[in-house]
Amino acid sequence: MAQRIIVTAAGLLLLVGVNWYFLISGRKKAGRR
Amino acid sequence: MARDPVCGMGVGEDRAELPILGMSCAGCAVNVERGLRDVPGVREANVNFATARATVLFDPTLVDTKTLINVVREAGYDVAASVDAVKLLKEKEDTTVRSKVIAGSVLAALIFLGSMRHWFPWTPAFLKSFFVLWALATPVQFIMGAQFYRGAWVAFRHRAADMNTLIAVGTSAAYLTSAAATLFPSLFRTAGLAPDVYFDTSAVIIVLILFGRMLEARAKGRTSEAIGRLMRLQPKTARVLRDGAEQDVPIDEVQVGDSVIVRPGEKIPVDGTVLEGRSAVDESMITGESLPVDKGPGAAVIGATINKLGSFTFRAAKVGKDTALAQIIRLVDDAQGAKAPIQRLADRIAGYFVPVVISISIVTFVIWYDFGPPPRLTFALLNFVAVMIIACPCALGLATPTAVMVGTGKGAERGILIKSGESLETAHKVDTVVFDKTGTLTNGEPLVTDVIPAAGYGPDEVLALAGGAERMSEHPLGQAIFLRARESGVSLEAPSEFRALEGLGVEAQVAGRKIVVGSLKLARQAGADPDSLVLRAEELALEGKTSAFVIVDGKPAGLLAVADTLKNSSAAAIGKLRNMGLDVVMLTGDGCGAAQAIARKAGIDVVIPEVLPGEKASVIRKLQSEGRKVAMVGDGINDAPALAQADLGIAIGTGTDVAMESSDITLISGDIAGVPAAIELSRRTIRTIRQNLFWAFFYNVVGIPVAAGALYPVLGVLLDPMIASAAMAFSSVSVVSNSLRLRRARI
């Protein structure tokens, strides 16, 4: 069970990270151009 | 800020030209430019992607060149020692890419044969070994494909995902799974899946995309040649009077105020004003004006134009970067650099697609790990990779390049040379087409249009007398009259006592009679009273025609009208453009009346008359500021800045080389019927690209949920590797055949 929680948490973190990095933060940076 | 009157730079301002290395797309140029502009003390920074050069104006008390170079390096690019170093490096890069494509194609073909062993049973047995395929695929992945990893990394650092990211992630997923299947087949069997390899997928994608980029780079190289060719127009030395003696000095050493001597047939080195001597000067390379221009004391001469007949001395007024030629070079350079980078549709989609695919893969992994059947880790890992593979941008990578290749090939068949995929892409957005008049809509050569005899003469007689007198004339108007007389079959007698009167006309003895052909002033000087013809001449002038009075033995005999005439195909081409819903505008240096006359015949409503050669680019800019997407059609060197400024520059192939190189599209035959054809071709190509992208995505949209295991709970279906590869192949085939359909399009 603990394993599952860790994997889920890591997955969610990665998911948020990828989308924040490419979509939210990337757009903001592009918007400054 | 105070401006230095000579070079236009602010006082207390320095200028640095930095040759930039490592820019692979227009987006890179934007990155470098932004980095430089953010530096305190930098007043202006412009990066030209085509010439790989940054021009920076800065305050030397606040910042130095060293800091600027560091800023460029921090942004992930480098600065070369000199402009030549960049050129050498680029040439080396071109050769490397070519050898990569050749070597990659051989390897990919072998891998394909080995992987498709059920299709090619005659393939040698050793090629079927997974280990051999792995060995063949590795150099393709990491040597030929290195630039995708590099590009993906640069994009990643700028928080973006583009085609490089998609190619790098997708092919890596295929490559790594295949490597895993080769090393640990049991891992796959435990999950009930056959351990298969996808080395062909990754290798073929990398080679195909590399090939497309090679073609693109070649086209781009040709663009920057325009500036080099303009620079070569400039003579290297000038003959200057110093201390009472003639000296040949390098062009850079000519100073304002120097007296410069020009002999017949030589190029005029810099801009200035004639002091003494007379001549006719061919200024066509700068102004587009096909007739030589008479020059006497006080007349302005332009550097790089060619002196035809006499010798003269002139005072240098503008040298170095202030000459007209230098300004044209700068305009072309600026326009090429400032052109907004066309974000490729596939790249834009990839910006969202890549993060979305990675997200779906992560969700797939977590769900299979948390809720899947045992062995959970194996299922989770394999389905994670399956999503990546099915999302691999094979068809997506092919969607744009194949359509562009077929489209440009189709154009070439019709004599429409399209410089790059970008040009083809831009052409469909055009809503306004601007034509230069002389040499584009018209033939650019004067022709006799009217023969008006005075009382007592017949038209043939007037032609015969004028034609005879003009036989020895070198003036284009005189030659037009002679040619027309010869074509109409009248008998022409050889003239005696021929005399050309500069700027006025000619006089000669023909068949014992004194013939004068020329302007009204000359007619009056000859003692004639041509009042009966003057009214007619004024009417002709309103139609844009030039009149030549024919005087025989001091009495008016008739009037010949000479004009530049409309090309045969002009009116039809303009009609087509208007039917396509485009606005057509004519641009000319002529006065209003003459311009309207030509425009009416061509079927053009909007005329912008009295435009000086240097103003053409600013007229285009003004139209663009109204929100129009402008195509400019022109032929002369003076059109080059306007061609480069326009969203789409279309050059007439019978015009100058510089115009062709500043343009996006060249119509080789000079037939302007190519203008509507090029725009139609672009519209169809873009439509094909959009359909391709739909098909490429359709497979992904259907395939990704299956790969993620969405059907497993209901039907117990996981994505079979064979189905995955078949779907990928089918998606590519449908994209390629859709592109090939373009070949049958009638344009």
Side-chain angles (χ1 to χ4, degrees):
Chain A
M1 194 59 203
Q3 246 182 21
R4 284 180 182 166
I5 292 169
I6 291 167
V7 166
T8 311
L12 276 175
L13 214 61
L14 205 57
L15 197 67
V16 172
V18 164
N19 285 288
W20 175 81
Y21 191 83
F22 284 121
L23 296 178
I24 298 165
S25 150
R27 292 292 138 212
K28 244 190 229 158
K29 211 171 169 187
R32 275 206 296 141
R33 284 175 194 179
Chain B
M1 190 202 320
R3 292 253 152 208
D4 183 327
V6 178
C7 59
M9 269 185 346
V11 176
E13 198 171 67
D14 254 354
R15 183 190 169 100
E17 299 264 344
L18 308 174
I20 310 287
L21 294 175
M23 294 196 295
S24 65
C25 63
C28 299
V30 175
N31 288 333
V32 175
E33 203 170 277
R34 210 178 45 215
L36 287 170
R37 280 191 184 149
D38 287 348
V39 178
V42 169
R43 299 225 167 91
E44 210 183 314
N46 282 300
V47 179
N48 186 333
F49 171 57
T51 54
R53 205 170 56 215
T55 310
V56 192
L57 290 181
F58 61 97
D59 185 343
T61 56
L62 291 175
V63 65
D64 57 3
T65 319
K66 226 178 186 173
T67 320
L68 297 176
I69 292 175
N70 282 337
V71 168
V72 174
R73 294 204 171 126
E74 269 168 36
Y77 309 92
D78 206 352
V79 178
S82 72
V83 178
D84 287 343
V86 177
K87 213 175 148 198
L88 274 176
L89 215 79
K90 252 201 164 134
E91 276 167 17
K92 217 175 112 194
E93 220 174 77
D94 287 350
T95 353
T96 327
V97 170
R98 202 173 48 225
S99 25
K100 274 184 181 176
V101 169
I102 294 168
S105 314
V106 174
L107 291 174
L110 291 174
I111 296 166
F112 190 76
L113 280 180
S115 306
M116 297 295 157
R117 50 204 171 276
H118 39 278
W119 288 358
F120 310 109
W122 42 267
T123 307
F126 78 94
L127 263 186
K128 295 173 188 167
S129 150
F130 286 0
F131 283 97
V132 172
L133 293 177
W134 188 14
L136 292 173
T138 304
V140 179
Q141 188 72 29
F142 298 109
I143 298 173
M144 285 78 181
Q147 69 177 87
F148 302 115
Y149 286 107
R150 224 178 295 129
W153 174 239
V154 170
F156 182 80
R157 283 186 42 179
H158 291 103
R159 306 179 181 221
D162 58 9
M163 278 301 282
N164 286 315
T165 318
L166 220 50
I167 296 158
V169 173
T171 57
S172 301
Y175 176 85
L176 293 174
T177 330
S178 310
T182 310
L183 282 177
F184 314 109
S186 54
L187 196 74
F188 287 69
R189 291 204 184 91
T190 327
L193 296 167
D196 214 338
V197 295
Y198 310 94
F199 289 124
D200 57 323
T201 312
S202 56
V204 169
I205 290 171
I206 285 172
V207 171
L208 275 179
I209 294 168
L210 219 51
F211 180 65
R213 290 205 177 170
M214 183 180 84
L215 295 180
E216 206 183 298
R218 279 194 188 170
K220 209 161 47 210
R222 257 174 262 140
T223 320
S224 43
E225 268 173 33
I227 290 165
R229 207 177 269 266
L230 277 171
M231 285 174 170
R232 281 196 291 278
L233 276 177
Q234 176 122 44
K236 300 255 180 305
T237 60
R239 189 171 300 117
V240 176
L241 262 183
R242 281 197 185 148
D243 310 324
E246 289 183 20
Q247 280 180 22
D248 278 349
V249 301
I251 193 89
D252 300 336
E253 290 175 19
V254 180
Q255 282 163 6
V256 173
D258 275 342
S259 293
V260 185
I261 299 159
V262 189
R263 302 226 170 96
E266 286 182 347
K267 271 186 187 172
I268 296 169
V270 294
D271 298 2
T273 317
V274 177
L275 293 171
E276 55 178 61
R278 296 198 77 92
S279 183
V281 175
D282 177 1
E283 294 188 334
S284 58
M285 62 290 298
I286 301 289
T287 63
E289 173 61 56
S290 46
L291 311 184
V293 185
D294 293 324
K295 300 284 180 186
V301 289
I302 311 171
T305 57
I306 296 170
N307 177 27
K308 287 283 193 195
L309 301 169
S311 300
F312 61 90
T313 309
F314 75 96
R315 183 185 166 278
K318 283 180 178 169
V319 300
K321 54 186 166 192
D322 296 324
T323 62
L325 179 66
Q327 279 171 17
I328 291 177
I329 293 173
R330 201 163 54 233
L331 284 171
V332 173
D333 194 23
D334 287 353
Q336 279 184 347
K339 203 171 255 187
I342 297 155
Q343 186 80 32
R344 290 177 181 284
L345 188 53
D347 252 1
R348 219 157 46 213
I349 295 167
Y352 294 97
F353 186 69
V354 176
V356 168
V357 167
I358 297 173
S359 304
I360 295 173
S361 306
I362 295 167
V363 171
T364 305
F365 185 93
V366 171
I367 291 177
W368 277 94
Y369 191 85
D370 286 356
F371 309 109
R376 289 178 302 150
L377 181 65
T378 311
F379 272 120
L381 195 67
L382 286 175
N383 289 334
F384 169 84
V385 176
V387 172
M388 291 280 205
I389 289 182
I390 196 79
C392 193
C394 193
L396 198 61
L398 291 172
T400 312
T402 51
V404 167
M405 264 158 79
V406 176
T408 45
K410 177 86 186 168
E413 278 170 27
R414 287 277 322 259
I416 302 164
L417 271 195
I418 299 161
K419 198 162 275 174
S420 68
E422 277 181 9
S423 320
L424 195 61
E425 238 176 279
T426 322
H428 91 284
K429 295 186 196 144
V430 164
D431 53 22
T432 306
V433 184
V434 179
F435 283 94
D436 167 54
K437 193 201 81 172
T438 310
T440 305
L441 286 175
T442 66
N443 290 305
E445 292 166 2
L447 288 176
V448 174
T449 53
D450 304 79
V451 181
I452 300 148
Y457 287 90
D460 281 355
E461 198 179 357
V462 174
L463 260 184
L465 292 167
E470 295 280 12
R471 186 171 210 156
M472 324 262 290
S473 173
E474 287 177 354
H475 197 279
L477 290 185
Q479 284 177 348
I481 292 171
F482 168 67
L483 285 176
R484 170 65 188 271
R486 202 175 57 183
E487 277 165 21
S488 60
V490 296
S491 68
L492 294 175
E493 297 209 22
S496 57
E497 290 173 40
F498 172 83
R499 209 152 70 92
L501 302 158
E502 209 141 357
L504 295 169
V506 298
E507 60 177 49
Q509 292 280 342
V510 179
R513 296 156 97 178
K514 188 182 175 214
I515 315 288
V516 172
V517 184
S519 64
L520 181 59
K521 195 173 160 194
L522 182 67
R524 293 214 162 113
Q525 274 177 16
D529 180 19
D531 283 355
S532 54
L533 296 169
V534 169
L535 198 68
R536 200 69 192 88
E538 279 168 4
E539 282 171 17
L540 291 167
L542 281 181
E543 293 171 33
K545 296 172 180 172
T546 308
S547 298
F549 292 87
V550 184
I551 310 297
V552 178
D553 292 331
K555 299 224 161 47
L559 197 60
L560 296 172
V562 178
D564 196 3
T565 51
L566 208 59
K567 280 182 190 168
N568 289 334
S569 56
S570 293
I574 283 156
K576 240 185 213 167
L577 286 170
R578 294 179 56 154
N579 282 340
M580 288 163 74
L582 298 161
D583 290 335
V584 183
V585 177
M586 186 178 96
L587 206 71
T588 174
D590 293 354
C592 221
Q596 291 286 4
I598 288 278
R600 241 192 330 271
K601 273 190 207 155
I604 297 176
D605 294 333
V606 186
V607 180
I608 306 178
E610 287 163 28
V611 180
L612 295 175
E615 291 173 356
K616 289 183 181 174
S618 58
V619 169
I620 302 288
R621 212 172 299 132
K622 191 163 162 278
L623 288 168
Q624 286 171 325
S625 71
E626 291 167 11
R628 291 166 182 268
K629 285 275 174 201
V630 182
M632 164 81 196
V633 191
D635 67 330
I637 286 187
N638 64 324
D639 295 327
L643 288 170
Q645 172 67 40
D647 298 287
L648 183 77
I650 303 178
I652 300 293
T654 46
T656 53
D657 290 348
V658 173
M660 281 181 251
E661 277 153 14
S662 310
S663 65
D664 304 296
I665 293 179
T666 300
L667 307 176
I668 299 190
S669 64
D671 184 356
I672 66 167
V675 177
I679 294 174
E680 180 61 28
L681 182 66
S682 161
R683 289 182 176 180
R684 288 194 185 227
T685 309
I686 297 302
R687 206 182 309 147
T688 306
I689 291 174
R690 294 210 173 118
Q691 289 161 352
N692 284 352
L693 289 173
F694 168 79
W695 282 112
F697 272 102
F698 180 76
Y699 284 97
N700 278 317
V701 166
V702 172
I704 289 172
V706 180
L711 296 181
Y712 188 78
V714 194
L715 304 168
V717 174
L718 277 179
L719 192 77
D720 188 302
M722 282 321 293
I723 293 173
S725 66
M728 254 187 276
F730 196 62
S731 139
S732 304
V733 167
S734 56
V735 161
V736 172
S737 28
N738 192 40
S739 294
L740 288 175
R741 236 163 35 90
L742 251 184
R743 267 162 55 167
R744 291 198 303 269
R746 249 186 255 160
I747 52 159

